Amino acid sequence: MEKVMISVTGLGAQPGSHNVQTACFQAALDQVWRAGGGVVQVPAGRYLIGSIRLRSNTTLYLCAGAELYGVRDPAAYRVLENDALEPLPAQWISEKGWEPFRKGVVRSYDFMKPCSPWTNGLIRAVGAENVAVIGEPGSLIDGQDCYDENGEEYYRGPHGVSMHYCRNVTLRGYTIRNTGNWAHLIYHTVGICVSSVIVQGGHDGVHCRGCTNITVQNCEFYTGDDCIAGCANVNVLVTDCVFNTACSGLRFGGTNVLVRNSKFYGPAKFFFRGSLSTEEKRNGAQAHRPHRVNMLSAFTYLADFSVPILEEPGNIIIKDCTIDNVDRFLCYNFSGNAHWQTCKPLASIRFENIQAKDIAMPLTAYGSAELPVELTLKHIDVAFRDDVTDVDFLHLAYYGKVVLDDVHVTAKGDLHLVKRWTQGDISINNVTCSAPENEWIVDAEEAFYCQAI
């Protein structure tokens, strides 16, 4: 059966109008779905919309020059509550808003259910299969930094693309910017391909939790928050991407994760919005100094209790990448000091063929006494910033085996190659240090401390 194709303008959408066009967009999407699937085409022009829902076998296709702008009213993003076509089961619905982390208090994650104020988004899909958002070059999705005083951290508004319990998701070709919260929230989904997408400003670029078979390729992330984030993910490929952020390039946890042929660099082109004043957040202020723009880490581990982690996190490989002007390129800290790294520890991580320069802080691998981490650094060239003195290259605690193979470290100040707080197996082969003074392995006496980032 031939797929149906409908233009939103055929159902009354008017490019350039100051009127909200949500109803026209949803009518087109629903008509295609009723016909068994197809494509909803958005011609060139600017459209102001609230939340819309994609259903199974439906593609939202943005032509060159098509620009979707989200309204700056959080009340316009409750598309799921009154959906008579595909009402959600009661267990997927919650009125609970975002709940902040409080040390020593068990956190409820009901606010992360598919239908809740926190999971609102400009483009929604729940329980759908074979859905896609595809943009031609020059297409745009802009969330206009929608402010919500009741949202996360009391300012974050709706996400850009928000999807739960889907199968076979394709996101390709568009630029997405200034989303009120994450650009892409994807939970409990199987089969995700994100390609040739550019993310600018806003918060996390792609955030997946409890997902399987994820590919992110040829994407560019210029974010104020993490570029790619999430946990409890299985079978992940990230390739040929650009990471530029005021937080972490990857704040990620998963099993069988390969990151390759990518570039990580700072400082960020877009600042961290959490550093704005309340008035600036309310007014959708854009980037200006002196708000924080330093890139914290190329890779930070993530494992919290928001979704079940069914497989042992590990076999994470980062290879053939460049890292430039980043504070540190590994932060694994299972000490309890970093509350986002508290659920399941990481079994193994490997860096191979990495060129890193202008690094400010040590690599940190603080594992679990129950599951000591295995770390491999092979074919690594690291240069610390000129103003960094008395450098530690690698901080270790609760590690099983660490392999340093063909590693070269350059520092202007004195260097400790390894500073460790517990004993473990360290294999050193073809390691060289360019520093005034250096020591290979130092057993630290003081208590371990790693700043949570």
Side-chain angles (χ1 to χ4, degrees):
M1 185 173 66
E2 188 174 346
K3 284 188 175 182
V4 174
M5 179 175 289
I6 296 176
S7 172
V8 294
T9 54
L11 276 83
Q14 299 177 347
S17 172
H18 294 291
N19 296 324
V20 178
Q21 310 283 305
T22 310
C24 301
F25 274 70
Q26 193 62 58
L29 291 166
D30 293 347
Q31 185 170 323
V32 164
W33 175 71
R34 287 191 182 96
V39 178
V40 172
Q41 189 179 67
V42 184
R46 176 173 176 144
Y47 304 84
L48 184 66
I49 63 171
S51 188
I52 55 176
R53 182 178 181 181
L54 273 65
R55 309 182 194 277
S56 292
N57 305 308
T58 302
T59 295
L60 180 66
Y61 190 91
L62 308 177
C63 298
E67 299 181 348
L68 305 186
Y69 284 82
V71 299
R72 299 199 76 245
D73 176 8
Y77 293 88
R78 306 299 296 271
V79 68
L80 300 178
E81 283 79 349
N82 300 312
D83 190 335
L85 285 180
E86 292 184 287
L88 299 185
Q91 65 267 27
W92 286 2
I93 301 172
S94 173
E95 286 300 317
K96 189 174 182 61
W98 170 77
E99 180 180 328
F101 172 84
R102 295 182 179 91
K103 192 171 184 177
V105 177
V106 177
R107 193 184 200 199
S108 167
Y109 289 95
D110 283 354
F111 69 89
M112 290 186 173
K113 288 185 175 183
C115 181
S116 77
W118 181 80
T119 54
N120 285 342
L122 187 61
I123 298 172
R124 300 300 318 269
V126 180
E129 61 180 17
N130 306 322
V131 293
V133 180
I134 296 175
E136 294 180 352
S139 59
L140 174 67
I141 301 169
D142 191 319
Q144 298 200 93
D145 290 316
C146 181
Y147 173 80
D148 185 355
E149 64 181 4
N150 297 312
E152 181 175 346
E153 297 173 338
Y154 310 112
Y155 79 94
R156 298 196 195 197
H159 303 276
V161 176
S162 179
M163 297 184 169
H164 291 72
Y165 297 104
C166 294
R167 298 183 68 89
N168 301 329
V169 170
T170 299
L171 305 169
R172 184 174 75 236
Y174 52 84
T175 294
I176 183 167
R177 70 187 185 194
N178 301 332
T179 51
N181 208 333
W182 305 340
H184 303 87
L185 177 158
I186 308 176
Y187 279 22
H188 306 294
T189 291
V190 177
I192 303 164
C193 183
V194 186
S195 62
S196 302
V197 168
I198 300 173
V199 181
Q200 298 174 335
H203 302 278
D204 291 3
V206 173
H207 195 126
C208 299
R209 299 197 184 201
C211 296
T212 304
N213 300 338
I214 305 168
T215 298
V216 182
Q217 59 188 7
N218 299 308
C219 292
E220 299 178 31
F221 298 94
Y222 307 98
T223 62
D225 214 329
D226 307 316
C227 294
I228 297 179
C231 64
N233 301 298
V234 179
N235 300 336
V236 181
L237 172 63
V238 177
T239 185
D240 299 284
C241 290
V242 173
F243 297 86
N244 176 261
T245 173
C247 284
S248 294
L250 291 146
R251 188 188 297 266
F252 204 77
T255 306
N256 304 331
V257 178
L258 174 60
V259 181
R260 68 185 185 195
N261 301 332
S262 295
K263 176 181 179 181
F264 299 77
Y265 76 101
K269 294 184 177 180
F270 293 88
F271 64 119
F272 178 57
R273 291 191 63 79
S275 61
L276 290 172
S277 69
T278 299
E279 193 61 27
E280 287 172 319
K281 293 170 184 174
R282 183 178 289 112
N283 294 329
Q286 296 302 301
H288 60 91
R289 300 298 189 267
H291 296 295
R292 186 173 69 71
V293 294
N294 60 301
M295 186 169 176
L296 299 179
S297 180
F299 181 91
T300 297
Y301 182 57
L302 175 60
D304 66 11
F305 293 89
S306 59
V307 297
I309 300 177
L310 302 178
E311 298 198 28
E312 180 180 89
N315 191 32
I316 296 176
I317 300 172
I318 300 172
K319 62 184 295 186
D320 305 323
C321 294
T322 61
I323 302 172
D324 186 2
N325 199 15
V326 176
D327 289 355
R328 72 166 98 226
F329 73 78
L330 169 63
C331 181
Y332 170 42
N333 177 19
F334 210 74
S335 67
N337 183 50
H339 62 261
W340 303 120
Q341 302 188 40
T342 51
C343 183
K344 285 193 175 182
L346 177 62
S348 62
I349 185 167
R350 178 186 182 96
F351 290 83
E352 185 172 347
N353 296 330
I354 303 293
Q355 297 288 321
K357 63 181 182 179
D358 287 333
I359 304 300
M361 302 173 71
L363 290 78
T364 299
Y366 190 121
S368 163
E370 291 72 30
L371 183 65
V373 65
E374 294 190 1
L375 169 66
T376 300
L377 301 173
K378 186 173 183 179
H379 307 316
I380 307 292
D381 195 331
V382 176
F384 285 88
R385 295 175 190 168
D386 289 348
D387 60 351
V388 176
T389 60
D390 298 323
V391 176
D392 299 329
F393 170 65
L394 179 59
H395 283 177
L396 293 175
Y398 296 114
Y399 59 97
K401 185 174 183 179
V402 171
V403 175
L404 306 180
D405 185 4
D406 188 22
V407 175
H408 181 70
V409 184
T410 301
K412 294 293 185 181
D414 297 341
L415 173 69
H416 298 143
L417 182 71
V418 174
K419 193 172 186 179
R420 64 184 181 183
W421 281 256
T422 62
Q423 298 294 309
D425 182 9
I426 301 177
S427 173
I428 297 177
N429 177 55
N430 190 28
V431 174
T432 60
C433 300
S434 299
E437 299 286 342
N438 67 77
E439 295 182 79
W440 291 108
I441 301 176
V442 175
D443 290 317
E445 297 179 358
E446 69 271 25
F448 185 93
Y449 176 78
C450 174
Q451 183 181 6
I453 62 174

